Amino acid sequence: MWRSAAAVRALRGGGAGAPRAASGAAAAQLRQRLENELEDIRGAGTWKSERVIASRQGPHLRLAGGGGGIINFCANNYLGLSSHPEVIRAAVEALEKFGAGLSSVRFICGTQSIHKDLEEKIARFHQREDAILYASCFDANAGIFEALLTPEDAVLSDELNHASIIDGIRLCKANKYRYKHMDMQDLEAKLQEAQKHRLRLVATDGAFSMDGDIAPLREICQLAQKYDALVFIDECHATGFLGPNGRGTDELLGVMDKVTIINSTLGKALGGAAGGYTTGPKPLIDLLRQRSRPYLFSNSLPPAVVGCASKALDLLMESNAIAQSMAAKTQRFRSKMTAAGFTISGKDHPICPVMLGDARLASVMAEDMLNRGIYVIGFSYPVVPKGKARIRVQISAVHSDEDIDRCVDAFTEVGRKHGALR
């Protein structure tokens, strides 16, 4: 029944060999243009290398090629659940019971009981009516605005929203307004201008991933109520650890009953594998099952991923101890780095951007940090605006105080070496 790998290769047209490149003048012209563009990226100092990890995700890593003993400060593994033994066990059990995948989209033959159970659990965690799963939160953001909004409606978006929110809004036919980052005067002016439209939706990240700042949701919700608008938040960098029970920025700021729609991810704090979701009013979720294109045309989440996320939510709902452990560690890093003379963007968030300004400096310092056993990444244009290059440090609940202190010491040493500190 099962063919050997060699037989499969033979059927596909032969075994191993040299890679084939398309021939012809058009292909050659394309190759030259792409190589020139790549060289420009290298020359600007904004080339993004991908280091290969040869171990599990966690506070300590081993890199391919023998780099061991590396302390990891650049993952979104906020609660350390990516390698939690109970989360791994849940994935294995789901894999054995439900298989590797569904080979199908949900409405054909791709829904299993674990998918429905996880959606119910997500809705309960966020205290919403219903939820719908996607392959990623990027897909959730790509799928909601087009399905919900029409040319009669308006969407008002923070200018620094995540790329997936921006792309999702581009796909819809609503009237589009962009307000200055967390500027409530500008948002109010845009809401006044948008009064002529049928429905108004304010869209914002709950926590902004590049700067580590938190949206002023109280003020946003007050304005939304004043101008009869709805509020949407992306909680990818908040779910699981912000708020007394880790439910996110709406819990943190006491506006859970004022936010209509939440999109978030299973790929960061909630197990770290993949997947995203929308949670909110049941009629909205029902509509998304009928019209949301990323949902309708993408395979179901693999059972192992569902098992991971479900167990992560169980752990969070059983105890808020993991979520609460973040605050002290975040404060330790921020206060020590500030005392050393660095500028750290944001406030009280485990995303701690070390602001440097120069793209090449950020890249060189990150490389030097790795030589000292600290894994961090430099961010520069187009990921962040020009002149706003930084090294983004991310604190995890599983970092020890010793890990944090080693990171600060390395930053101080490298910063002095490269002139970032005096």
Side-chain angles (χ1 to χ4, degrees):
M1 179 179 177
W2 304 106
R3 295 188 178 98
S4 68
V8 171
R9 285 196 298 270
L11 287 171
R12 290 176 176 169
R20 298 178 182 177
S23 60
Q29 183 182 24
L30 173 65
R31 177 178 287 271
Q32 186 60 54
R33 182 175 69 80
L34 295 175
E35 288 177 349
N36 290 342
E37 191 168 339
L38 292 171
E39 191 55 42
D40 288 344
I41 295 172
R42 292 187 184 95
T46 58
W47 184 268
K48 298 160 191 65
S49 299
E50 295 183 6
R51 300 187 180 110
V52 180
I53 297 171
S55 63
R56 293 177 177 181
Q57 181 65 276
H60 300 91
L61 298 175
R62 180 169 55 85
L63 298 182
I70 304 297
I71 307 177
N72 181 18
F73 279 96
C74 57
N76 296 313
N77 187 25
Y78 293 111
L79 301 179
L81 298 181
S82 296
S83 299
H84 193 287
E86 291 186 47
V87 172
I88 294 172
R89 193 177 308 118
V92 172
E93 290 172 356
L95 181 65
E96 290 176 341
K97 183 175 181 181
F98 293 100
L102 279 298
S103 306
S104 183
V105 299
R106 290 276 295 268
F107 79 94
I108 299 176
C109 58
T111 295
Q112 294 172 319
S113 57
I114 53 172
H115 294 89
K116 301 303 294 182
D117 291 344
L118 178 56
E119 287 170 338
E120 186 278 330
K121 196 174 291 185
I122 288 169
R124 182 155 41 93
F125 177 72
H126 284 286
Q127 298 179 1
R128 296 307 196 273
E129 293 177 17
D130 202 357
I132 179 173
L133 290 171
Y134 288 87
S136 67
C137 191
F138 205 114
D139 276 351
N141 286 339
I144 187 166
F145 300 104
E146 183 182 26
L148 176 62
L149 303 175
T150 75
E152 297 180 67
D153 305 317
V155 57
L156 303 95
S157 175
D158 187 293
E159 65 180 349
L160 294 188
N161 275 340
H162 190 268
S164 59
I165 301 175
I166 294 169
D167 286 358
I169 289 173
R170 283 174 178 160
L171 291 171
C172 79
K173 295 180 180 179
N175 298 274
K176 301 169 180 67
Y177 297 81
R178 187 173 68 169
Y179 64 91
K180 295 175 184 177
H181 181 50
M182 300 200 309
D183 185 326
M184 294 300 96
Q185 285 187 330
D186 194 39
L187 174 57
E188 182 164 21
K190 298 295 193 301
L191 280 166
Q192 290 170 347
E193 188 179 346
Q195 285 300 105
K196 56 182 175 284
H197 304 298
R198 180 187 64 173
L199 182 151
R200 292 157 296 283
L201 178 69
V202 180
T204 181
D205 276 305
F208 292 84
S209 62
M210 286 299 109
D211 292 298
D213 47 8
I214 297 170
L217 279 185
R218 290 195 191 100
E219 292 81 359
I220 289 173
C221 290
Q222 287 169 1
L223 286 174
Q225 188 170 17
K226 180 178 178 180
Y227 292 99
D228 195 23
L230 304 173
V231 177
F232 161 97
I233 54 174
D234 178 311
E235 289 285 80
C236 286
H237 292 276
T239 300
F241 57 93
L242 288 187
N245 299 290
R247 289 189 171 92
T249 53
D250 61 337
E251 183 188 46
L252 176 72
L253 298 174
V255 291
M256 292 186 72
D257 60 336
K258 303 291 193 304
V259 173
T260 306
I261 307 165
I262 294 173
N263 277 12
S264 194
T265 182
L266 306 174
K268 293 181 172 50
L270 301 184
Y277 58 85
T278 296
T279 185
K282 189 177 190 312
L284 169 65
I285 304 305
D286 290 342
L287 179 68
L288 293 175
R289 293 193 195 281
Q290 302 303 312
R291 292 189 178 171
S292 180
R293 290 165 68 85
Y295 177 82
L296 290 171
F297 298 104
S298 296
N299 266 18
S300 307
L301 274 181
V305 172
V306 176
C308 281
S310 186
K311 176 53 68 172
L313 280 170
D314 288 342
L315 292 171
L316 278 176
M317 288 193 281
E318 287 169 7
S319 169
N320 66 356
I322 302 176
Q324 291 300 304
S325 70
M326 292 294 304
K329 294 178 181 181
T330 298
Q331 178 59 29
R332 185 182 187 93
F333 179 80
R334 284 179 170 272
S335 62
K336 282 179 172 283
M337 286 290 285
T338 301
F342 288 101
T343 299
I344 310 299
S345 180
K347 181 182 179 183
D348 300 332
H349 194 284
I351 292 174
C352 304
V354 183
M355 304 304 294
L356 299 170
D358 182 79
R360 197 177 299 278
L361 175 62
S363 177
V364 170
M365 280 185 60
E367 197 65 37
D368 239 4
M369 291 287 287
L370 186 62
N371 294 334
R372 289 161 173 75
I374 306 295
Y375 187 11
V376 290
I377 295 293
F379 286 78
S380 55
Y381 181 83
V383 181
V384 296
K386 289 182 179 180
K388 298 288 187 179
R390 79 282 307 268
I391 292 176
R392 188 179 71 174
V393 176
Q394 292 177 261
I395 307 299
S396 172
V398 288
H399 281 133
S400 67
D401 287 348
E402 181 183 2
D403 291 338
I404 292 170
D405 293 347
R406 277 190 58 189
C407 184
V408 173
D409 290 344
F411 259 113
T412 303
E413 182 181 347
V414 170
R416 286 174 179 157
K417 174 183 174 181
H418 293 284
L421 289 179
R422 302 298 179 194

